[in-house]
Amino acid sequence: MLQQRLNSSDALLLLSFVGVIVGIACALSMVLLHWLLDLPAHIFMGGDNEGFEDLPLLLRVLFPLISCFLLILIMFYLPKKWQKVGVPYVIERLNYHKGHLPIMNGVIQFITAGIGLMGGLSIGKEGPAVHIGATFGSRIALRLGLSQSHIEVLVACGIAGAISAAFQTPLAGVLFALEVIFLEYRIAIILPVILSSVFSMAVSHVLLGPITLFSFDRVAVLVINTESITALAVLSLVVALLAGLFFRTQQLLWRVNHWSLIWRFSLVGVATALCAAFIPEVLGAGYDSVEKLLAGGSLTNVLLLVLLAKVLLTAFSIGLGIPGGMIGPTFVMGGLAGIQVAVWAFSGEASLELISLFALLGMAAMMSTSFQAPLTGLIAIVEMTHTPEILLPAMLVIASSCVITRVAFKQDSIFIERLTSLGLHSKARVRVDHNGDVKSTKE
């Protein structure tokens, strides 16, 4: 095998070179997904792939129903082994199958995520991106006949490249791979992962241009006083409560995953169609709702109602097995929560700059708390919005909400909780030996 002929320097050079290839492949797959999502947007929504609110009522209701019907048709006739997709599945394959990710599961993830996103389901594309990127890394490593440790490096390259391409946030991509998937910081894999993430972001930028999820003139510099400290404390508590609601709702629904896929997906279609009729702001990832508020506009429905509906509909969709992601929606939930807290805390007289600040703080905190990934959430928001001035208050809100969630609610990352509910080990150091027995690689 190739690994037997490599010394440490040769291995690093090979992994770095292949990591770049994996990153480019991830970027191209994300660009393809982006272009596919643009097709219905150009036909029905004037080019805005988040413009579901502007659709006629009939189309708005039909989109999620048709999407769920197509997902049922595809998934019902697939072998069960191909139906497993998503971030928990990637962690499971790392822990129990030496990082071997079947290519068909990755293909199914790409197709089904595209259908769900086109139909306006309340999911994100970033979770599917992680699965697809990890599959690229795994398959290339297996093709080269590399060892398990080297397979893990290239899986990490794929994960980082996928997040980097989706958000154009290279450092957040690296941190996500280490903090969320591997659950530890491993210096041995950092150089190839960084190269993969940077090249993936570069390809995404060249083919798609800069990705701007939220635009605003500037954010306020927070003045430390009793009022602002109180507002930050309230935001931390609100984010922790929302993250708890988001998780507990999914946890309840995991108990009915033995129900027929037809029933589960049909329920999601009906629930999303009802929301489409009465609370259309929750359709899709929901970035446009936050964007509208940051621009000084208003929503059709009361902000608190939109926030709660977004949390519950996303949890309902993911909890019943829709093959989509949660990362993007958590940013939206956090942004809406931050805006709501700013309105409450400053008596409805908050400036747009202050509202923008609290929206960004909420985004960083909700993502960090839901996945117990404080550095990833913090850096992702700074990279996406180029606002380093939020670092200090964001660190305070993120740390507070994560501590509340862990200590008061006894809640780990949603991905880890899902694996635990299936009776699987969730720590990255757990591996399976040749006899199929679980063992720890701790020394």
Side-chain angles (χ1 to χ4, degrees), residues 132-325:
I132 295 163
T135 301
F136 277 126
S138 174
R139 301 317 300 178
I140 292 174
L142 289 171
R143 177 70 65 177
L144 293 174
L146 299 181
S147 65
Q148 181 180 354
S149 62
H150 292 162
I151 291 173
E152 291 179 357
V153 173
L154 292 183
V155 168
C157 288
I159 293 166
I163 292 294
S164 179
F167 287 118
Q168 294 187 353
T169 53
L171 182 52
V174 174
L175 289 172
F176 185 92
L178 300 179
E179 197 173 35
V180 178
I181 306 300
F182 285 85
L183 307 176
E184 58 185 353
Y185 298 97
R186 297 168 59 179
I187 300 302
I189 70 175
I190 198 71
L191 293 177
V193 174
I194 288 175
L195 288 172
S196 174
S197 190
V198 169
F199 274 84
S200 184
M201 185 270 190
V203 172
S204 174
H205 193 281
V206 167
L207 295 179
L208 297 178
I211 295 176
T212 305
L213 297 178
F214 311 102
S215 59
F216 42 85
D217 293 331
R218 61 190 181 91
V219 299
V221 176
L222 195 66
V223 177
I224 303 300
N225 54 34
T226 303
E227 186 179 34
S228 62
I229 293 295
T230 302
L232 294 178
V234 170
L235 179 57
S236 301
L237 180 59
V238 167
V239 166
L241 290 172
L242 288 174
L245 177 63
F246 187 50
F247 163 62
R248 299 298 174 188
T249 303
Q250 291 187 59
Q251 189 180 44
L252 286 173
L253 293 167
W254 293 338
R255 299 175 184 176
V256 300
N257 269 352
H258 61 278
W259 289 2
S260 166
L261 181 144
I262 296 174
W263 279 107
R264 288 186 283 116
F265 284 19
S266 296
L267 286 173
V268 173
V270 171
T272 309
L274 288 172
C275 287
F278 300 105
I279 319 174
E281 293 92 343
V282 302
L283 294 179
Y287 295 122
D288 58 328
S289 297
V290 177
E291 173 76 11
K292 187 180 295 184
L293 292 170
L294 293 180
S298 59
L299 302 178
T300 306
N301 292 282
V302 176
L303 173 56
L304 185 58
L305 174 63
V306 174
L307 171 58
L308 291 175
K310 185 65 180 176
V311 172
L312 292 173
L313 183 61
T314 305
F316 191 75
S317 302
I318 300 297
L320 287 178
I322 293 294

Side-chain angles (χ1 to χ4, degrees), residues 89-150:
Y89 177 67
V90 171
I91 300 174
E92 177 190 343
R93 297 299 296 188
L94 279 168
N95 287 349
Y96 287 87
H97 302 277
K98 301 180 180 179
H100 295 197
L101 284 152
I103 192 167
M104 279 306 300
N105 296 71
V107 172
I108 296 303
Q109 173 72 100
F110 183 90
I111 295 171
T112 54
I115 291 172
L117 291 163
M118 288 182 195
L121 301 186
S122 186
I123 57 176
K125 64 177 180 291
E126 299 79 18
V130 168
H131 183 175
I132 295 163
T135 301
F136 277 126
S138 174
R139 301 317 300 178
I140 292 174
L142 289 171
R143 177 70 65 177
L144 293 174
L146 299 181
S147 65
Q148 181 180 354
S149 62
H150 292 162

